[in-house]
Amino acid sequence: MENSADDYRIQSLDMDTQMLLKTALKDPSSVNLEKVSDILVDQSLKDQVFSKEAGRICYTIVQAEAKQNNGNVFRRNLLTRLQQEFKSREETRARSLQEWVCLVTFICNIFDYLKVNNMPMVALVHPVYDCLMRLSQPDALMNEEEVDCLVLQLHRIGEQLEKVNGPRMDELFYLLRDGFLLQEDLTSMARLLLLEILEFRAGGWVLSSTAHKYYYSELAD
Amino acid sequence: MSNWTRGRRREARDNEHDNGSSGPSRWSHCRKRGVDGSLRANREGDAGPEKGGESDSRKASFTTPESTGPVSRCGRKADWGSQVENDEMRRDVHRDMQRRRILGAEVPQRERKISSGSSESCDSREGENIETDEAVLLRRQKQINYGKNTLAYDRYIKEIPKHLRQPGVHPKTPNKFRKYSRRSWDQQIKLWKVKLHAWDPPTEEGQDKVLDDIEELGIDDVMDIELDFPNLTDFQNAPASLATHSRSLEGDDDCSGTPVKIQKTEITEEPDLA
């Protein structure tokens, strides 16, 4: 089952890089996998659209390498890079909100796609929570960009996260409730997003149809 | 201990120091992966990763030849790559354990010869004889993985399919689920890896030397003991001196597999064993 290049959204990269990635997908041992993982991480930090789906191409390369020669060079390099970026996330956030948001999106995407024996990578659980907790701090909630990122991730991986660590999810939602209720400098959009995610989780990570109408029906116009 | 063997051991240690843990060792051509984990594509002599390139990215901790990157000394590895790999291995071992439980339950009691029964499915008497300690199983699995992560193993399994393997002649992976003393297990692993060397990729130097050394020792005697499944008493009696030396060299370091260079040194040590 081969995904076309479109599925991986690699059009934003130059032709040479696209070729390299395509080769990595087909014949991983023939390319420098460390370089490939660096390219993917760098691009994810720059390009928000790319960061939302980069997990998929990473997963495919991991599988391809494992199948071809039982290796995990790519995965190891990817995780090492990711860990470095995670360690310096506060500096990244101070430097560029965009990059910070891309980083969180990317880490969550990797968490979503890169499973080990169909289970999420335990090593990523706390780091993901750390990122989401950071996004729930008062100084982050006042930025729509960050709130938007937060709720997007919770929509995508909230349920999984809760399954692997319920208490931390509870902790996160205390912050969200407090923020929604008490924080005065929130924009109305931010409040809307928070209310929706509160209802979403309360409904078991599903929005009731009436709630859905309330929040989403206007988009149809 | 003769001067010769003392010298050999020093040489092995020196090699280890010179190369630090970054340069190619004399055995690096046999390893499937370089220190940085990348597959070795070319097989020429010491075509391993360069020393220069590595030291840049390497942390103060050391690198074992078989690991795919810097590892902290035996402690919990904090980097995500290692964590994920360890989780994976733990899951694999658990899955093996489950399989073992199911298979063990199904197989009825069978008549056994003393030194028989190597294949997984005919280990009857499962109850008492099965190793269940997770720490032990993980350690053993790691040692097995080191042995399997070699070009020799790759070539071996490609060349000799399972159904064509003859006991005694062809190396057989030690069964981690059977109860053995630590010494006995480590010995089995060593011998297994020595046997695997017969499938090392050819190089200009080194290869013949290994085989010569092995012959010189009459190592076949030791190999025969192993057969399908080593008899515990034989192990404890015969290569006692080998075992002691192995202990002192390795210490109780759970984290490293037997470095191949030290292994070689031990084999060449005691010609008078039998």
Side-chain angles (χ1 to χ4, degrees):
Chain A
M1 170 188 36
E2 249 174 57
N3 290 310
S4 68
D6 286 348
D7 290 358
Y8 296 124
R9 313 262 180 97
I10 63 176
Q11 303 90 322
S12 49
L13 298 157
D14 64 70
M15 285 316 295
D16 285 342
T17 311
Q18 288 192 42
M19 266 325 296
L20 178 64
L21 293 180
K22 286 184 195 168
T23 314
L25 290 165
K26 292 218 171 68
D27 187 10
S29 60
S30 68
V31 300
N32 180 344
L33 290 170
E34 193 175 323
K35 183 171 170 203
V36 171
S37 71
D38 279 341
I39 289 174
L40 289 171
V41 174
D42 291 336
Q43 187 64 17
S44 302
L45 295 178
K46 281 191 287 198
D47 179 347
Q48 203 155 0
V49 171
F50 191 74
S51 68
K52 284 183 184 159
E53 287 299 330
R56 189 119 60 94
I57 189 174
C58 289
Y59 179 68
T60 312
I61 298 178
V62 169
Q63 295 295 94
E65 192 192 347
K67 187 170 176 195
Q68 189 177 46
N69 56 36
N70 216 26
N72 57 15
V73 170
F74 176 78
R75 184 178 73 184
R76 179 171 263 278
N77 283 318
L78 177 68
L79 289 173
T80 304
R81 220 9 246 287
L82 216 54
Q83 188 171 14
Q84 285 165 4
E85 297 294 337
F86 172 75
K87 272 205 185 106
S88 54
R89 64 195 181 280
E90 206 52 51
E91 292 94 81
T92 302
R93 181 175 181 273
R95 183 178 64 237
S96 156
L97 270 187
Q98 240 259 36
E99 212 180 308
W100 156 240
V101 160
C102 283
L103 174 61
V104 179
T105 310
F106 185 50
I107 292 184
C108 293
N109 204 234
I110 293 291
F111 176 83
D112 198 8
Y113 278 104
L114 245 65
K115 301 272 195 332
V116 172
N117 293 334
N118 290 324
M119 298 279 295
M121 289 196 212
V122 174
L124 293 184
V125 174
H126 278 302
V128 166
Y129 268 116
D130 289 344
C131 288
L132 299 182
M133 298 282 286
R134 182 62 184 90
L135 288 173
S136 313
Q137 301 298 319
D139 64 340
L141 289 181
M142 53 180 229
N143 298 321
E144 260 174 44
E145 224 176 325
E146 294 187 78
V147 182
D148 189 69
C149 175
L150 171 67
V151 301
L152 174 66
Q153 307 319 321
L154 284 173
H155 272 113
R156 288 174 144 204
I157 61 173
E159 194 171 4
Q160 290 180 58
L161 274 177
E162 190 178 51
K163 235 178 245 160
V164 291
N165 190 328
R168 275 207 90 177
M169 188 55 80
D170 292 337
E171 210 186 319
L172 178 67
F173 269 75
Y174 283 137
L175 286 179
L176 296 185
R177 282 190 204 98
D178 280 351
F180 176 80
L181 276 171
L182 308 171
Q183 198 160 334
E184 285 174 359
D185 53 3
L186 291 190
T187 66
S188 51
M189 176 53 109
R191 254 186 272 272
L192 182 69
L193 294 173
L194 287 178
L195 188 61
E196 195 266 4
I197 200 71
L198 289 166
E199 273 201 72
F200 184 67
R201 189 209 179 195
W205 304 100
V206 161
L207 213 52
S208 70
S209 52
T210 43
H212 196 277
K213 258 188 231 144
Y214 177 87
Y215 292 105
Y216 296 104
S217 60
E218 270 149 29
L219 291 176
D221 300 340
Chain B
M1 195 193 324
S2 70
N3 283 333
W4 175 64
T5 53
R6 213 179 282 126
R8 283 313 213 88
R9 213 191 272 165
R10 199 186 311 126
E11 188 190 4
R13 220 182 303 128
D14 282 348
N15 264 338
E16 214 179 347
H17 280 326
D18 285 345
N19 301 332
S21 355
S22 56
S25 69
R26 80 172 72 171
W27 297 106
S28 56
H29 68 275
C30 302
R31 266 190 278 287
K32 205 161 115 175
R33 297 176 197 289
V35 172
D36 65 356
S38 54
L39 262 190
R40 292 175 187 273
N42 47 18
R43 312 262 184 91
E44 310 144 15
D46 286 343
E50 260 76 48
K51 199 167 180 168
E54 298 220 305
S55 39
D56 298 336
S57 50
R58 216 156 42 94
K59 297 169 196 145
S61 46
F62 72 82
T63 305
T64 63
E66 292 87 357
S67 74
T68 53
V71 297
S72 61
R73 252 210 154 235
C74 276
R76 228 167 50 88
K77 293 159 193 179
D79 69 291
W80 293 356
S82 301
Q83 277 183 55
V84 171
E85 274 164 36
N86 286 338
D87 280 344
E88 223 175 13
M89 184 174 65
R90 204 170 293 125
R91 265 190 253 277
D92 285 345
V93 169
H94 280 280
R95 198 181 47 216
D96 280 353
M97 283 169 81
Q98 271 189 314
R99 242 187 255 143
R100 164 76 6 168
R101 258 180 244 127
I102 296 170
L103 287 176
E106 282 177 12
V107 174
Q109 276 282 339
R110 269 200 233 173
E111 213 182 291
R112 292 167 95 229
K113 294 171 277 182
I114 301 288
S115 54
S116 81
S118 56
S119 62
E120 337 277 73
S121 55
C122 71
D123 278 338
S124 19
R125 289 195 293 157
E126 292 282 280
E128 322 93 58
N129 267 0
I130 224 188
E131 181 58 69
T132 53
D133 185 328
E134 186 187 309
V136 172
L137 288 172
L138 285 175
R139 173 170 42 82
R140 290 181 176 184
Q141 186 63 58
K142 229 187 239 181
Q143 288 172 294
I144 291 173
N145 290 348
Y146 285 149
K148 290 189 173 179
N149 181 30
T150 53
L151 289 169
Y153 186 76
D154 263 4
R155 296 175 88 236
Y156 167 56
I157 56 176
K158 282 189 186 118
E159 191 180 309
I160 319 262
K162 263 195 178 162
H163 63 275
L164 290 180
R165 292 196 202 150
Q166 299 160 41
V169 174
H170 294 130
K172 195 176 174 78
T173 310
N175 181 346
K176 66 178 176 279
F177 286 112
R178 289 193 64 165
K179 285 248 186 241
Y180 294 110
S181 67
R182 174 73 187 267
R183 215 157 74 165
S184 166
W185 171 264
D186 288 349
Q187 190 71 354
Q188 288 177 56
I189 287 282
K190 275 195 200 94
L191 292 175
W192 170 63
K193 284 160 110 174
V194 166
K195 263 182 153 169
L196 283 176
H197 274 305
W199 278 267
D200 277 345
T203 57
E204 298 100 59
E205 41 102 348
Q207 178 67 356
D208 296 332
K209 202 158 200 314
V210 175
L211 293 176
D212 284 341
D213 289 341
I214 290 178
E215 272 165 20
E216 201 176 290
L217 278 186
I219 197 93
D220 299 287
D221 294 335
V222 183
M223 296 300 197
D224 283 344
I225 296 175
E226 196 210 57
L227 255 211
D228 277 349
F229 252 88
N231 195 307
L232 268 178
T233 47
D234 281 351
F235 262 113
Q236 270 147 21
N237 293 334
S241 43
L242 261 183
T244 330
H245 285 295
S246 79
R247 228 34 204 314
S248 57
L249 277 175
E250 280 178 32
D252 270 326
D253 193 341
D254 279 0
C255 298
S256 57
T258 311
V260 179
K261 2 186 204 298
I262 292 187
Q263 171 188 337
K264 176 179 188 309
T265 310
E266 289 174 329
I267 298 297
T268 59
E269 229 171 8
E270 304 282 341
D272 53 318
L273 92 100

